[in-house]
Amino acid sequence: EAGVAQSPRYKIIEKRQSVAFWCNPISGHATLYWYQQILGQGPKLLIQFQNNGVVDDSQLPKDRFSAERLKGVDSTLKIQPAKLEDSAVYLCASSSRDPSGRPRGKGTGELFFGEGSRLTVL
Amino acid sequence: GQSLEQPSEVTAVEGAIVQINCTYQTSGFYGLSWYQQHDGGAPTFLSYNALDGLEETGRFSSFLSRSDSYGYLLLQELQMKDSASYFCAVTTDSWGKLQFGAGTQVVVTP
């Protein structure tokens, strides 16, 4: 079974530029998450999708960050304009839930993460 | 506010046993998970406790006490490959929203 795919793996930009990250979750996983992980910290949830609808985006800085999940599969996270403090690894994860959001498998705790996209803002 | 507290670093020798404690204060609680992350790698799921008690998976065990808002991960027969960061995480709603702690770096020495 293929894992969560993310691209690009690395990106270096200057402040005030824009950047976009792409994520392809595990096939059949209806729930998709974007996390931000700053060096030395735990992942912080930015946005959670159930199919193509947003479940939680309370910690997404909406003045500069946007995310979409068209057709309920792939997702894109965009930052425009970037700030120095946006330097981090952006992790995409998916989990197996049925269309109504109920968890399958090992319950609500198991997320499958991609390798992440490491962003450096200069 | 919401918080998950865990030690920042633990050092132990090969073959030893390490216990990583996690105390949490969150608006909702559905379960406690543990994840392992090697440098530059993706977090990988280790265990999940929704009910009080001990769950054992090979060399790793996880414990939960909901009344104490406390859990721990026990790593037995430590190996060099266990050197990594370990995160506790609380599922805070029925949609599976996961809130992570800051992580504990485990350093295994020969």
Side-chain angles (χ1 to χ4, degrees):
Chain A
E1 176 181 77
V4 176
Q6 290 190 245
S7 67
R9 288 295 314 277
Y10 305 93
K11 188 74 176 178
I12 300 174
I13 62 174
E14 296 191 348
K15 60 183 179 183
R16 292 188 289 274
Q17 287 187 322
S18 63
V19 63
F21 304 114
W22 172 83
C23 172
N24 181 242
I26 292 173
S27 177
H29 281 194
T31 311
L32 185 147
Y33 312 75
W34 282 102
Y35 280 87
Q36 179 193 59
Q37 187 174 26
I38 293 171
L39 187 65
Q41 299 182 18
K44 169 190 164 186
L45 179 67
L46 293 176
I47 189 167
Q48 178 180 341
F49 293 94
Q50 179 66 22
N51 297 305
N52 60 351
V54 175
V55 172
D56 189 307
D57 63 357
S58 57
Q59 297 191 87
L60 187 73
K62 298 180 185 63
D63 57 334
R64 299 183 300 105
F65 286 64
S66 64
E68 61 182 9
R69 191 184 185 197
L70 301 177
K71 301 180 182 178
V73 182
D74 294 6
S75 178
T76 303
L77 176 71
K78 296 179 180 177
I79 308 174
Q80 180 179 15
K83 292 185 175 182
L84 297 177
E85 59 260 36
D86 299 332
S87 293
V89 176
Y90 291 86
L91 295 163
C92 179
S94 67
S95 67
S96 179
R97 288 172 171 267
D98 65 24
S100 69
R102 285 187 294 270
R104 297 186 178 120
K106 297 181 181 180
T108 59
E110 185 174 17
L111 272 59
F112 297 85
F113 283 86
E115 294 292 326
S117 294
R118 183 178 297 273
L119 173 66
T120 302
V121 182
L122 303 175
Chain B
Q2 304 197 73
S3 67
L4 285 84
E5 301 291 334
Q6 53 182 128
S8 59
E9 184 171 326
V10 173
T11 301
V13 298
E14 268 187 301
I17 298 174
V18 160
Q19 179 173 317
I20 304 170
N21 298 320
C22 175
T23 58
Y24 58 87
Q25 182 179 357
T26 55
S27 57
F29 182 86
Y30 284 73
L32 182 70
S33 303
W34 290 91
Y35 282 78
Q36 178 192 61
Q37 185 178 34
H38 287 98
D39 280 349
T44 56
F45 174 82
L46 293 177
S47 68
Y48 176 70
N49 294 66
L51 303 175
D52 287 359
L54 189 68
E55 294 279 344
E56 297 180 81
T57 309
R59 295 186 296 113
F60 295 177
S61 302
S62 57
F63 172 83
L64 174 65
S65 169
R66 294 181 65 142
S67 60
D68 296 321
S69 298
Y70 163 77
Y72 67 72
L73 178 70
L74 195 69
L75 315 179
Q76 301 180 64
E77 301 172 19
L78 274 178
Q79 301 176 8
M80 296 299 292
K81 67 178 181 179
D82 297 330
S83 290
S85 291
Y86 293 82
F87 296 90
C88 61
V90 168
T91 301
T92 59
D93 65 22
S94 60
W95 288 99
K97 179 178 178 179
L98 208 59
Q99 182 171 343
F100 284 81
T104 298
Q105 184 169 6
V106 172
V107 178
V108 182
T109 60

